[in-house]
């Protein structure tokens, strides 16, 4: 199997893990599945064809993508099941578009989030300015980095783990994942996204 074929198959495997509940999104819903996909797309932009193809399969408002349309029409559980089934089928179709991956160092979701915060425009990056959406976006980006740049992924996972440990000490919440700490103490919305940026920079300077 060549590199172009592997790219779609690797995403299909990640989505299959979500479908089987062996991998969990934060606040799982079709909308947050879209966040995961957009994170994956940050690393493998050639997979954008999946968006357009899914849009043709799910009816709904013209301004909404299939991830949102499936949520509007079917809700969280059934919407997730239907769009996962469709996406996995498309990605596993051998007649699907060929996709390649650039060989340069991939973007890191933390860096692109911080850049958007510095520009005071997080909504240009995050489809929903919530901790849950940002976390799932980061999860997709990290999975794509593991699939195609494993050494980079290890480095970033270690740095994120250091932040999580620091945050657990900061909020006296041992063992709690970083996204849940922020959601619990800072709330779910845009102010918490900005707080994430402040805390990330604080932990680096400590």
């Amino acid at each position: 199997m060549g590199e172009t074929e592997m790219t779609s198959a690797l995403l299909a495997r990640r989505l299959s893990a979500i479908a089987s509940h062996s991998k969990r999104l934060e606040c799982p819903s079709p909308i947050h599945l879209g966040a995961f996909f957009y994170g994956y797309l940050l690393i493998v932009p050639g997979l954008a064809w999946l968006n357009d193809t899914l849009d043709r399969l799910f009816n709904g408002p013209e301004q909404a993508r299939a991830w949102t349309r499936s949520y509007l029409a079917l809700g969280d559980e059934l919407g997730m099941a239907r769009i996962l089934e469709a996406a996995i089928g498309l990605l596993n179709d051998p007649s699907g578009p060929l996709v390649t991956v650039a060989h340069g160092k991939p973007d890191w979701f933390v860096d692109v989030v911080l850049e958007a915060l510095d520009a005071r425009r997080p909504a240009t990056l995050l489809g929903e300015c919530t901790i849950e959406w940002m976390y799932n976006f980061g999860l997709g980006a990290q999975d794509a980095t593991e699939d195609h740049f494993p050494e980079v992924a290890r480095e970033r996972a270690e740095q994120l783990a250091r932040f999580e440990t620091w945050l657990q000490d900061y909020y006296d919440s041992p063992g709690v994942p970083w996204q849940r700490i922020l959601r619990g103490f800072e709330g779910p919305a845009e102010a918490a996204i900005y707080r994430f940026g402040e805390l990330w920079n604080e932990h680096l300077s400590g």
Side-chain angles (χ1 to χ4, degrees):
M1 184 178 289
E3 177 188 11
T4 53
E5 295 173 294
M6 280 292 292
T7 302
S8 295
L10 288 169
L11 176 55
R13 187 177 68 187
R14 296 293 187 177
L15 295 181
S16 294
I18 293 172
S20 68
H21 305 293
S22 59
K23 186 177 191 70
R24 295 283 295 176
L25 301 180
E26 193 73 12
C27 297
S29 73
I31 289 173
H32 289 110
L33 182 64
F36 177 89
F37 172 72
Y38 284 115
Y40 207 98
L41 206 62
L42 179 70
I43 310 303
V44 192
L47 286 167
W49 66 267
L50 183 63
N51 251 340
D52 297 329
T53 308
L54 286 171
D55 286 352
R56 293 193 288 271
L57 297 178
F58 289 84
N59 296 324
E62 185 177 347
Q63 70 271 26
R65 305 236 65 147
W67 317 99
T68 301
R69 292 177 187 176
S70 64
Y71 168 74
L72 292 172
L74 302 168
D76 284 342
E77 188 173 348
L78 184 56
M80 277 274 286
R82 292 284 174 81
I83 199 164
L84 278 167
E85 180 183 21
I88 292 166
L90 290 166
L91 290 165
N92 284 329
D93 184 349
S95 66
L98 300 179
V99 178
T100 58
V101 180
H103 294 293
K105 190 171 184 178
D107 288 331
W108 192 18
F109 90 94
V110 172
D111 289 338
V112 296
V113 167
L114 294 178
E115 287 171 10
L117 292 175
D118 286 344
R120 311 297 293 181
R121 299 183 67 186
T124 61
L125 173 70
L126 305 176
E128 179 182 275
C129 285
T130 63
I131 290 295
E132 295 89 347
W133 205 99
M134 183 184 73
Y135 171 79
N136 291 322
F137 174 79
L139 192 64
Q142 181 67 6
D143 277 1
T145 306
E146 287 178 4
D147 287 343
H148 300 285
F149 305 91
E151 291 185 7
V152 175
R154 280 193 293 273
E155 294 172 4
R156 292 175 177 177
E158 289 169 1
Q159 190 165 352
L160 196 58
R162 288 193 292 271
F163 171 68
E164 183 170 82
T165 299
W166 180 88
L167 205 63
Q168 289 166 352
D169 291 340
Y170 189 95
Y171 286 97
D172 190 23
S173 299
V176 181
W178 66 266
Q179 75 277 10
R180 295 183 191 174
I181 293 175
L182 288 171
R183 173 65 177 84
F185 286 95
E186 303 295 340
E190 187 170 320
I193 304 293
Y194 278 98
R195 186 65 176 137
F196 164 79
E198 293 170 358
L199 290 163
W200 182 269
N201 289 327
E202 187 176 340
H203 111 275
L204 289 181
S205 64

